[in-house]
Every structure is written in C-alpha cells, then in structure tokens.
Amino acid sequence: MIVGDLYVKGLRVVVDGFVLGPLTFRVGSGSCLGVVGGNGSGKTLLVKALAGLISHEGEVALGGVKKDDVSRFEWFRRVGVVLDDYVGLRVASNVGDEVAFTLENLGLEPDKTAEMVLETLKLMKMEEMITYDVNTLSSGYAARLSLAAAMAHRPALLLLDNPLKHIDPPTRHEILERLVEIKKRGTCMVVTATHAKDYSPLIDEVIHLGGGDGGPWDMRGTRRNNTWDGEAVVEAEGVSFRYDGVEAVKNVSLVLRSGVVTALVGRNGAGKTTLGKILAGLIKPSRGRLRPRKVRAAFMSSNPETQLVGRTPREDIMVSLSKKGGDPGKAGEIVEEFGLAGVADKPLQSLGRGIKRLTALLSLYTLKPALLVLDEPTQGLDSALSSMAAKIITLQAAQGRAALIISHDIEFVKAVADRALVMRDGEVVAETNPQELGEGML
C-alpha cells in the first residue's frame, strides 16, 4: 500500500458562481482531517477536487507526488472516495462485484481480487452478503458497501463525504472503530461532516467551511402530543413481507393516528423502510392486511433527489400545488416561510443534497397527504435545515394528519416525535416515549 502525507496549497474551486477556497492544509499519513460545515458550504466540492473529479486551482500532492504530474488513472489508484450520492454511482448488480470493480480495473489477478473482496467485506461484516442484489440492501448496508468499495484497493488517501449518515448508532461505532484501524495502518483520511462530534473518535484535526459546525436545532414552535388518540389513518394487522425468501417484516400490527408523529427506529436491516413502504401502500404485504386498503399517503425515500420533478425548488413545489388543485403562485410564500427563498430559482442540479432533501419534503407536505412517511428526513442536513424539517413534520401533525419518520437520528426523534416504535429483525419489539430512547434499545 502506498502511504504519504496529503498536501494542499491554495486550492480554489469555482462552480456556478460559488467559490470554495483558497484552502491550504496538510494531513499526515495515518491522520484524519475533518471538514465541517453547513449545507452548501462546499464540502462535497472539496472531496471531488481532491479525488481528481473536478478541476481546481492550486496544488494537491500525496506522498510527494503532485496530482497534476501523474495520469488520472495513477491518481485514482492512490485514492478511494465515497461520494454523497453513492447509491446513484453503483456500477454492479451484486455486492461482491461492486467491491471487485475497482480491483479489476486496476488489473489485479482474479484470485487476488477475490481474496481482497472477501477481506474487505469481512471488515464491514458483510461477507455473508457477497451475492446479494445491491438494490435490496437497506440504506445502512448500502453505506457499508460504498465504504468497502472505496477501501478494497488499499488507497493511500481515503476521501469520505459524510459516510455514516445512513447508519444506526451502534453500527456507526463499529465502523468508526474499523476506520480508526485503517487509519493506524498509515492511510491518510479526509472526512466531511455537518457536525464534528459524529466522527470524534476518528478525526484528529478540523477545518470549518462557511462558518462551521452548526449548533443545536432551534425547535421553538414544535408541538408535543401525548394523547395519541386521533382518528386511525392506517391500521396494519399482522403484516409480513418477504424479499427473495428473506422475511423482512414479520407479523407487525400497529395503528398510525391523525395528529401524531410516530418514529420508527432500529438498526440497519431491521425492516423499517420495508414497513414504511407497506404503510404508504407502495408494496403489498405477503401476509396480513391494511385498513383501509388504500390511504392517501406520500413517501419520501432516503434518496429523495430521485423524486424531484421540477428544475428549481420553486418549480418543484409549484408542481405539487397544481396536483392538489391549489394555487401554484403560493410557492413563493412557501419557499420564503421555509428558508428557501435565496435558492428558490436556482437549478436543483447545482444545489446540495440538503436543499434537495428539504425541497422534496416540502413538495410532499404541500400535497397534504393523510399520511406522510419520511425515510431518514434529516440525513445530511445541517442545524438550520434540520429545524425546517422539524417544522414541516410537526405542522403535518398539527394540521390533523399523520406522520411516520424512519430515522437513526435519535436526538431529532426525541425533539419531534410523540411516540417511538423499535424494530428488530423484522418485528416491532417495543413502543415507548421518545424521551426514553437510548442506543441500548436498538
């Protein structure tokens, strides 16, 4: 494995009028730099520049070798990267082939490739999933897979764009431990984050972009509802669901009521997203039933960028207003109320994932569904956008409708949810007050 310090001098990136830098820093071999900032501060641009994926001014060198002095292939051989949108960047249909892709392109012999794939998957505790279809993975296992694919060729520099945002707290600790082990072998790391504390066991030094870490959420105006006695919006009776012979949801019975925010928590692979899709009517249970059989529901996936239909935030919200028979002209009031006025008419493709996520959430909320199901609504959001997400969710319930949030963000759940359901191995094993949630319950 190649090792060496990362040296960055005067790095500057200009994209669509946004200017990042100039930045100068050094990261030693076996060290990790945390790059912290709010949404839109340029964290992902920095990762792409260091990876050689976008042009930039200034100098980048690794182990004394300047990026501009070697071929793109040679630089890619030295670097491993997990981008923010890793799900959309998959190249293979099963887990083993996804990890093998880079190794094969580097020209490794088949036997050596197979050996390194298995070793890497063992590190991520995914060796038994080597033949799994990547499209059946939970968001957490998808994140583990992206890390495995980036690390398989033993790069000297590992660039991670907020890689643990999809992962439940206990698994997050496990993966951080493994990343610390990899760092100790001499790997140089750069990790982006909205909050430095999320990666504190790994990070040695921190630089801040655009004003930094973000404080606690402003939760003023959120509502608490401890009655849980609204009308039933949807009721599940003994529902189960199987994926390729694996029972992802097992005999679950529950009621979601109007005016109540329900949180669904649990470890990756517990069945949370599958149950959310059943309750939203996106998939039919293998056994059991829903009452009513159809409910006016809206579902936001953990990758909601794929659900956007407008060219700008304003246009996307206008489409939702039109579907509901409302006045598209009110989109201006909505973007103003929820802090998107400054980016309302900018192309969505040029905006960060946090703004895209909030736009998707707003567009679905504007439809006024009886049930709003949100898979990881705060994923990648800074404090300001998390506060806006909280406002939307609590308004959904305050206006007499139901909300179900699927989340690993326990602090956010405590702030906005009225009740919490804990899933484990496809079953709902506990129902509790969100204030009593702890990692030990997952």
Side-chain angles (χ1 to χ4, degrees):
M1 182 181 79
I2 304 169
V3 295
D5 294 358
L6 172 68
Y7 177 69
V8 177
K9 181 179 180 181
L11 184 142
R12 185 172 182 268
V13 181
V14 181
V15 177
D16 294 327
F18 176 84
V19 180
L20 171 67
L23 299 173
T24 297
F25 57 84
R26 182 189 296 272
V27 186
S29 172
S31 298
C32 179
L33 175 70
V35 180
V36 176
N39 293 108
S41 59
K43 301 187 298 296
T44 298
L45 287 179
L46 176 58
V47 168
K48 288 181 176 179
L50 296 176
L53 298 175
I54 59 174
S55 60
H56 61 84
E57 302 170 12
E59 180 181 322
V60 176
L62 181 62
V65 177
K66 294 181 180 179
K67 181 168 70 67
D68 291 341
D69 290 346
V70 297
S71 67
R72 178 170 286 192
F73 176 84
E74 179 61 27
W75 189 255
F76 288 169
R77 190 170 71 86
R78 298 165 178 265
V79 176
V81 59
V82 176
L83 291 174
D84 197 44
D85 185 24
Y86 54 78
V87 172
L89 298 173
R90 288 172 179 158
V91 295
S93 59
N94 71 54
V95 168
D97 289 347
E98 181 73 14
V99 179
F101 179 79
T102 299
L103 301 172
E104 292 170 345
N105 278 275
L106 291 175
L108 271 69
E109 294 294 328
D111 287 350
K112 184 62 174 178
T113 294
E115 176 188 329
M116 294 180 75
V117 167
L118 186 58
E119 182 181 335
T120 306
L121 288 176
K122 283 182 177 178
L123 186 66
M124 290 291 109
K125 292 190 175 181
M126 291 184 69
E127 66 270 23
E128 295 182 359
M129 307 174 78
I130 192 167
T131 61
Y132 278 33
D133 185 332
V134 296
N135 294 311
T136 65
L137 299 177
S138 70
S139 59
Y141 278 110
R144 292 197 204 197
L145 176 59
S146 69
L147 286 166
M151 297 187 300
H153 64 296
R154 311 296 186 266
L157 172 62
L158 196 54
L159 303 169
L160 307 175
D161 195 2
N162 203 4
L164 303 184
K165 60 181 177 292
H166 296 272
I167 298 177
D168 62 73
T171 304
R172 191 179 302 146
H173 294 323
E174 293 175 8
I175 293 180
L176 281 172
E177 289 176 358
R178 282 155 182 75
L179 288 173
V180 169
E181 291 175 16
I182 293 166
K183 185 180 73 168
K184 288 179 179 177
R185 298 174 189 172
T187 303
C188 181
M189 295 185 184
V190 176
V191 177
T192 73
T194 307
H195 308 286
K197 63 181 178 59
D198 295 340
Y199 297 89
S200 56
L202 180 67
I203 291 173
D204 300 300
E205 294 185 62
V206 174
I207 61 172
H208 294 264
L209 300 181
D213 202 354
W217 302 308
D218 179 2
M219 301 306 294
R220 289 173 294 182
T222 58
R223 38 164 294 291
R224 307 301 315 163
N225 178 358
N226 296 315
T227 60
W228 304 3
D229 60 355
E231 294 183 3
V233 172
V234 62
E235 182 176 358
E237 297 180 347
V239 298
S240 299
F241 191 86
R242 299 181 73 86
Y243 281 115
D244 298 327
V246 177
E247 199 163 28
V249 175
K250 306 172 185 176
N251 194 34
V252 170
S253 297
L254 59 83
V255 180
L256 299 181
R257 298 186 180 277
S258 61
V260 178
V261 178
T262 301
L264 192 58
V265 301
R267 300 193 66 166
N268 296 124
K272 304 183 300 297
T273 296
T274 302
L275 180 57
K277 288 180 177 179
I278 291 172
L279 294 169
L282 297 182
I283 56 177
K284 294 182 179 179
S286 307
R287 295 194 308 275
R289 65 174 182 169
L290 295 181
R291 293 194 304 174
R293 289 193 350 181
K294 289 186 178 181
V295 62
R296 190 163 53 80
F299 180 90
M300 188 179 85
S301 75
S302 58
N303 293 287
E305 296 84 357
T306 60
Q307 297 177 245
L308 298 169
V309 295
R311 291 169 297 180
T312 66
R314 185 192 305 273
E315 186 175 297
D316 201 81
I317 294 167
M318 287 173 67
V319 170
S320 292
L321 287 168
S322 298
K323 286 181 180 178
K324 184 61 182 173
D327 178 8
K330 289 187 176 180
E333 299 175 15
I334 293 172
V335 296
E336 184 72 37
E337 180 182 358
F338 292 95
L340 294 181
V343 297
D345 298 308
K346 292 186 177 181
L348 278 163
Q349 64 182 14
S350 72
L351 299 175
R353 293 193 80 198
I355 296 295
K356 292 176 182 176
R357 184 174 296 274
L358 189 65
T359 299
L361 176 51
L362 262 177
S363 293
L364 293 178
Y365 163 75
T366 302
L367 293 172
K368 297 184 178 180
L371 171 62
L372 183 59
V373 181
L374 307 171
D375 197 354
E376 298 293 352
T378 61
Q379 199 170 265
L381 301 190
D382 61 17
S383 301
L385 293 185
S386 291
S387 295
M388 288 300 176
K391 181 178 179 180
I392 295 167
I393 293 166
T394 52
L395 280 173
Q396 164 77 7
Q399 292 166 2
R401 302 187 295 274
L404 176 69
I405 57 173
I406 301 165
S407 183
H408 293 135
D409 190 340
I410 300 301
E411 294 307 311
F412 185 80
V413 165
K414 289 180 177 181
V416 303
D418 303 305
R419 61 191 288 237
L421 305 175
V422 181
M423 283 196 78
R424 190 178 302 137
D425 297 325
E427 299 179 280
V428 174
V429 297
E431 177 172 347
T432 186
N433 186 314
Q435 305 309 313
E436 298 175 1
L437 280 175
E439 291 184 13
M441 298 182 68
L442 304 183

